[in-house]
Amino acid sequence: MPEQGFVIVGAGLAGAKAAEALRASGFAGRVTLIGDEPDRPYERPPLSKEFLAGKAERDSVFVHDGGWYAEHDVDLRLGVTATELDRAAKLVRLDGGETVGYDKLLLTTGSSPRRLPIPGSDAQGVHYLRRLADSVRLKETLTAGTRLAVIGAGWIGLEVAAAAREAGAEVTVLEVAELPLLNVLGREVATVFADLHRAHGVDLRLSVVVDEITTEGGKATGVRLDDGTVVPADAVLVAVGAAPNVGLAQAAGLTVDDGVVVDASLRSSDPDVFAAGDIASALHPLFGEHLRVEHWANALNQPAVAAAVMTGQDETYDELPYFFTDQYDLGMEYHGHVIPGGYDRVVFRGDVEAREFIAFWLLEGRVLAGMNVNVWDVGDQLKALIRAEGPIDADRLADPNAPLEP
C-alpha cells in the first residue's frame, strides 16, 4: 500500500502547528508544508506587539527552530505559491509547474490586508502590516519625531499606534466609526480604548473619511480627509481589516462564504480537504453557527483538531473565540462571541477608570463574552460563565467580592 501523503498549504502558525500535531500523533507518512513567504513559519501577534515595540528579538517570533522541520521529516517548501488545487486528481500545482499529490489536504492560507481604493495607497512610505518583512520595515520608521498616520482604529491600528508612541513618534489615528473597535466591543467598552490612546498623546480623529494619501515624488506626505483637512505624515499605516485568502479554494469549487466553509471537525465540502485558521468559517457547536475568527488562538488550536480528523479520529473544535492585546500599560483577554448590537447589557466588575476590570456582555441574562483588563488568571471562570445554561445574576457578576462562577 502506498505511503499516505498529507499536504498543508500555508506555512504560518496554523500550518506549522498542523505539521507538529501530525508528527506528535505518530503519523509517519509524508508531510509537505508549502508557504509563499521566504521565512519559516512564525507567529503574527508580535509583529504589531512586542517585536514591533523592540521588546522581543526577531528569532522569538518563529514557531520552531530552524532544524525542527528536517528533524521531523517535514518537507518545508518556502517561497513557493500553490496556484491550483485539482481535487479530482488530488494534486496541488505550484508556481514552478511542479505538482504535489495528497491523500488529505489542509488549507491554512490565512488572510491579507485590505487595500484602500484611494489615490496614493501604494506610495512609498505607506505600510500594510501582515508579514514579518512588513513589521521590520515599519519598525525602522518608528523613531522619535516621526509623524505616523494610522488609517483604521482596529486592533492592528491601535497596537501599532501604541508601539509608535512608546518609540516617541507623533501619531494620528483616523477612524470612520464614532469610536475605535466599536463593532467589536460596543460603545461601552470601546470608550475605554479611545480614552487610553488620548491619554497617551494620540491624536484620535473619529467619524472621519479618508479621501487620499497625499504624495510628493512618489512618497507619502500625509492623508487628506473628505472635508479637505490634510494630516501631515512621514509614514502611513493602512489598517482597515483583512480578507481571507480563499482564491485557491474558490477556484477548486469548495464551498466558500466569508471563508472556506467547514464543519465542526474542520472538514470542507470535499471530505479530503480541511481548513484551519483565518480562512476557516467553522461550525461552532456552542453557538450553532459558522464563525470565522481572525485571531491567533484559532491558528494555534484548530490545527490539532484538523490533524486528528485527517488521521481518522473523531474530534470537533469547540474552543471559545479568544483574543488578546497589549497597549501601553493595558493588557487584556477576551473570550466569547458577540455580533455587533447582539447584546442588551454590559456589566462591569472592578475599576473601569483605573483600567482594572472585567466586562461582561449579556443577552437576556446569558453571558455571551467576557473581557478581563489588567485582571489575570480568570480565563477558565469566564469560559464557564459563557458556557453556562440559563441567565446569570448580573448584580453578582458586578460584585468583586462574589465568586466568579455560574
Side-chain angles (χ1 to χ4, degrees):
M1 182 176 179
E3 180 187 51
Q4 268 196 313
F6 290 173
V7 173
I8 305 163
V9 178
L13 173 61
K17 297 305 286 188
E20 179 183 303
L22 286 169
R23 289 305 187 221
S25 72
F27 177 72
R30 289 183 294 106
V31 175
T32 305
L33 178 56
I34 299 166
D36 61 2
E37 295 190 53
D39 298 295
R40 70 180 187 273
Y42 57 85
E43 302 197 34
R44 298 192 192 274
L47 306 190
S48 60
K49 295 182 175 74
E50 56 266 32
F51 173 70
L52 183 66
K55 299 174 182 177
E57 296 299 319
R58 185 179 186 276
D59 282 352
S60 69
V61 308
F62 295 107
V63 182
H64 301 112
D65 63 46
W68 185 91
Y69 300 93
E71 291 166 5
H72 291 81
D73 196 21
V74 173
D75 183 7
L76 177 61
R77 305 194 186 188
L78 299 176
V80 176
T81 300
T83 59
E84 183 184 356
L85 166 57
D86 184 338
R87 291 164 49 205
K90 289 195 168 184
L91 293 173
V92 177
R93 190 174 305 280
L94 308 181
D95 54 0
E98 182 185 358
T99 58
V100 181
Y102 67 86
D103 293 289
K104 305 288 183 185
L105 172 69
L106 174 62
L107 298 174
T108 56
T109 48
S111 56
S112 296
R114 296 186 187 277
R115 302 275 161 166
L116 271 182
I118 60 172
S121 59
D122 289 319
Q124 182 185 351
V126 176
H127 299 263
Y128 293 84
L129 182 55
R130 176 64 185 175
R131 299 189 169 198
L132 180 55
D134 299 333
S135 186
V136 170
R137 283 191 296 268
L138 184 59
K139 185 179 181 180
E140 291 171 351
T141 73
L142 301 185
T143 57
T146 296
R147 298 170 301 175
L148 175 69
V150 179
I151 303 174
W155 294 117
I156 297 295
L158 295 185
E159 288 173 357
V160 171
R165 285 297 298 138
E166 290 179 334
E170 299 174 15
V171 179
T172 302
V173 174
L174 307 167
E175 169 58 41
V176 68
E178 297 175 57
L179 287 166
L181 302 166
L182 184 60
N183 278 345
V184 180
L185 301 178
R187 184 174 303 277
E188 299 86 346
V189 182
T191 302
V192 172
F193 287 88
D195 293 344
L196 171 71
H197 281 269
R198 285 181 169 137
H200 284 84
V202 172
D203 181 1
L204 183 61
R205 304 192 191 186
L206 304 172
S207 301
V208 299
V209 176
V210 172
D211 265 2
E212 176 188 4
I213 296 174
T214 60
T215 62
E216 185 174 323
K219 186 181 187 308
T221 58
V223 179
R224 188 188 306 278
L225 307 181
D226 67 344
D227 65 359
T229 302
V230 175
V231 177
D234 304 303
V236 177
L237 172 72
V238 178
V240 293
N245 295 325
V246 296
L248 191 67
Q250 202 156 28
L254 296 174
T255 302
V256 172
D257 182 7
D258 184 35
V260 179
V261 177
V262 295
D263 62 17
S265 296
L266 305 178
R267 183 183 282 108
S268 76
S269 52
D270 182 325
D272 293 323
V273 180
F274 298 74
D278 284 9
I279 66 163
S281 178
L283 180 64
H284 197 285
L286 178 63
F287 300 107
E289 60 180 295
H290 283 82
L291 302 181
R292 189 177 69 82
V293 181
E294 291 177 0
H295 290 293
W296 165 85
N298 267 22
L300 179 72
N301 297 317
Q302 281 186 341
V305 171
V309 179
M310 289 165 73
T311 55
Q313 300 178 53
D314 184 16
E315 287 199 27
T316 59
Y317 184 77
D318 63 357
E319 291 283 337
L320 292 174
Y322 167 87
F323 58 88
F324 71 99
T325 193
D326 295 297
Q327 300 172 34
Y328 311 109
D329 56 354
L330 181 149
M332 79 82 169
E333 299 174 298
Y334 178 106
H335 297 269
H337 170 63
V338 184
I339 63 172
Y343 63 95
D344 55 27
R345 184 175 182 182
V346 175
V347 174
F348 292 99
R349 177 188 184 106
D351 190 335
V352 177
E353 288 191 8
R355 302 189 188 102
E356 293 183 4
F357 65 90
I358 303 173
F360 303 91
W361 285 260
L362 277 66
L363 179 63
E364 297 178 351
R366 288 200 61 182
V367 177
L368 303 179
M371 184 178 86
N372 49 298
V373 175
N374 291 336
V375 175
W376 306 110
D377 301 322
V378 294
D380 288 344
Q381 294 98 308
L382 295 184
K383 288 187 282 187
L385 286 165
I386 295 165
R387 292 186 183 277
E389 296 182 3
I392 304 292
D393 184 345
D395 291 336
R396 188 161 60 87
L397 283 178
D399 182 358
N401 297 312
L404 194 61
E405 59 187 29

